[in-house]
Amino acid sequence: MQAKIIDGKAISAQLKAEAAEDVKQMKENGITPRLAVVLVGDNSASKVYVRNKQRACEEVGIASKTVLMGEETTEAELLQLIDELNQDQSVHGILVQLPLPKQIDEAKIILAIDPKKDVDCFHPLNVGSLFTGGEGFLPCTPAGIIEMIRRSGYEIAGKRCVIIGRSNIVGKPVAMLLMKENGTVTICHSKTKDLPGVCREADILVCATGKRNTVTADMIKEGAVVIDVGMNRDEAGKLCGDVDYAAVSQVAGAITPVPGGVGPMTIAMLMKNCVTAARQQTQA
Ligand code: GUN
């Protein structure tokens, strides 16, 4: 049977509509949430992501301020900008698009962002809070994954959840969130033995390796929910994920497409975090 398609575009539209309603109310109280997006250098994928984030801000009514800096920007210059944005009370959220040019230490930059404005949830204080289950921002892609599973009507509690990829942006935080939802979680990576065997145990399989065809149909338990975080291009230059979509969708119970799956959810959760940040900083 053909898997149900989990429509990230439709679910993210709902989330953005909810955020827009919150923004409308805040504006009535004289508060306009504002996001500063910093793009350093000319990574073409980053440019697309930043444009999509600006567009989402416009849709939701969040004011956005994009700062473009050249490829040769020094770490000191970027730290100076972050300091200014930290001080600027009209800015509630700060997002520095990654990756950064090689002369800049990403960890140092993330550490410089005021944790209250860290809408990406990359600052160690917010990451720590995520690990201890406290309140705070949730990282956008992992939170988007949970939201799309939940809003599609799939239970996480008690389910075997397998994640492929152990990155700080997706693999590790999504493991924390799935655990918080009472899933039983396994994280796999490039050194995992018998990856297909482990994946076949999954009721929920999340793939975030950044490699095409990481997940093939023989790795899927019948009826599993498959979440594809990948964003790659095939030989013809067409966007594709980490999952062999055509074959896997014959076995899985539900699957996220690429494009139109996790990507739009990430941006919708960013909008939600911007609203939360503005609320917390203004008590609006
Ligand atoms: N680069 C790839 N994904 C992300 C993200 O979610 N946030 C930022 N700031 N940079 C990224």
Side-chain angles (χ1 to χ4, degrees):
M1 224 181 58
Q2 193 72 19
K4 175 181 150 37
I5 296 169
I6 300 180
D7 186 346
K9 223 169 148 183
I11 303 170
S12 70
Q14 276 172 18
L15 283 160
K16 282 189 285 187
E18 290 164 19
E21 195 51 47
D22 290 341
V23 171
K24 192 166 152 245
Q25 279 180 16
M26 292 174 83
K27 284 183 173 171
E28 281 164 12
N29 295 328
I31 307 288
T32 300
R34 180 170 280 105
L35 171 69
V37 179
V38 182
L39 175 60
V40 187
D42 35 40
N43 180 307
S44 52
S46 290
K47 283 182 187 166
V48 175
Y49 294 143
V50 165
R51 203 179 314 128
N52 290 340
K53 288 169 188 176
Q54 286 170 318
R55 208 173 284 151
C57 283
E58 280 164 30
E59 270 178 65
V60 168
I62 292 173
S64 72
K65 162 183 172 140
T66 303
V67 184
L68 303 175
M69 300 179 92
E71 185 73 34
E72 305 306 323
T73 300
T74 64
E75 193 174 274
E77 284 166 337
L78 183 53
L79 286 170
Q80 170 67 32
L81 171 72
I82 289 171
D83 188 40
E84 286 163 20
L85 295 172
N86 282 342
Q87 307 291 335
D88 185 342
Q89 291 200 7
S90 75
V91 170
H92 307 105
I94 302 172
L95 183 149
V96 179
Q97 187 66 33
L98 303 179
L100 291 169
K102 59 183 181 322
Q103 71 276 17
I104 301 176
D105 181 347
E106 282 183 1
K108 219 166 168 179
I109 299 302
I110 289 168
L111 206 57
I113 297 172
D114 181 340
K116 293 195 290 301
K117 298 190 178 187
D118 171 37
V119 285
D120 260 328
C121 191
F122 288 171
H123 190 287
L125 203 77
N126 290 324
V127 174
S129 162
L130 167 72
F131 273 53
T132 53
E135 292 303 304
F137 294 121
L138 295 180
C140 303
T141 300
I145 291 170
I146 300 296
E147 203 62 32
M148 74 200 302
I149 295 172
R150 216 194 258 148
R151 291 195 183 212
S152 304
Y154 296 100
E155 183 78 43
I156 299 172
K159 295 291 160 63
R160 288 297 305 266
C161 306
V162 174
I163 301 156
I164 316 178
R166 53 178 155 177
S167 71
N168 289 333
I169 293 189
V170 184
K172 286 187 230 171
V174 83
M176 288 300 136
L177 293 183
L178 287 165
M179 233 187 308
K180 199 169 169 194
E181 296 294 321
N182 299 313
T184 301
V185 178
T186 304
I187 305 183
C188 302
H189 45 75
S190 52
K191 301 288 186 289
T192 296
K193 292 209 171 83
D194 186 22
L195 179 66
V198 180
C199 290
R200 274 193 296 272
E201 292 182 10
D203 302 305
I204 297 172
L205 180 65
V206 178
C207 189
T209 58
K211 289 192 182 71
R212 273 177 66 203
N213 297 326
T214 302
V215 175
T216 47
D218 59 305
M219 296 163 76
I220 304 296
K221 174 156 97 180
E222 207 174 325
V225 174
V226 179
I227 309 288
D228 189 349
V229 188
M231 185 69 85
N232 313 299
R233 294 207 179 259
D234 67 12
E235 303 93 342
K238 209 169 134 255
L239 271 182
C240 64
D242 295 346
V243 174
D244 178 0
Y245 183 88
V248 167
S249 58
Q250 304 294 315
V251 189
I255 187 166
T256 64
V258 178
V262 174
M265 293 300 295
T266 297
I267 296 185
M269 298 317 284
L270 173 67
M271 298 300 106
K272 222 174 149 227
N273 279 351
C274 292
V275 170
T276 304
R279 270 220 177 106
Q280 286 173 350
Q281 285 160 58
T282 60
Q283 273 93 44

